[in-house]
Amino acid sequence: TSLSPRQFLRRQQVLQLYRKILRAVREVPAEADRQYLKDWAREEFRRNKDATEEDTIRMMITQGNMQLQELQRTLKLAKS
C-alpha cells in the first residue's frame, strides 16, 4: 500500500520522535533505567503501530514529545 502525502509526513514525524526518544534514553546513566526506558519506548510504539485515526496519531505524537521533553529536562537536572 502506498501512503498519502499526509500519511507519509505523519510516519516521518513518528519515526523522528522514536529516534529522538532512543537518543535521549542513551543519556540515562543507570544501565537498568536505560534498558527499562528503551523497552518501554519500543513497546509503546509497537502497541500503537496500527493506529490510523489522524487525530489519535497527532495526539500520541504530542504526548510523546511531551514525555521526551520531560526526560530531557530530568537528564539536564541530573547533570547539573
Side-chain angles (χ1 to χ4, degrees), residues 16-70:
Q16 185 180 41
L17 175 60
Y18 185 63
R19 286 193 289 267
K20 283 180 181 175
I21 289 171
L22 290 183
R23 255 184 239 119
V25 166
R26 277 193 228 137
E27 305 292 312
V28 173
E31 173 63 36
D33 294 340
R34 208 169 34 244
Q35 192 58 52
Y36 170 80
L37 288 168
K38 200 188 313 180
D39 291 344
W40 167 82
R42 201 173 280 142
E43 184 52 38
E44 281 295 305
F45 278 83
R46 193 174 290 133
R47 192 161 51 91
N48 293 304
K49 77 178 172 54
D50 295 323
T52 54
E53 186 63 42
E54 182 71 24
D55 290 340
T56 305
I57 295 169
R58 221 182 2 250
M59 185 197 71
M60 288 189 288
I61 290 171
T62 301
Q63 210 171 14
N65 276 311
M66 287 170 20
Q67 289 171 319
L68 171 61
Q69 288 172 348
E70 186 59 37

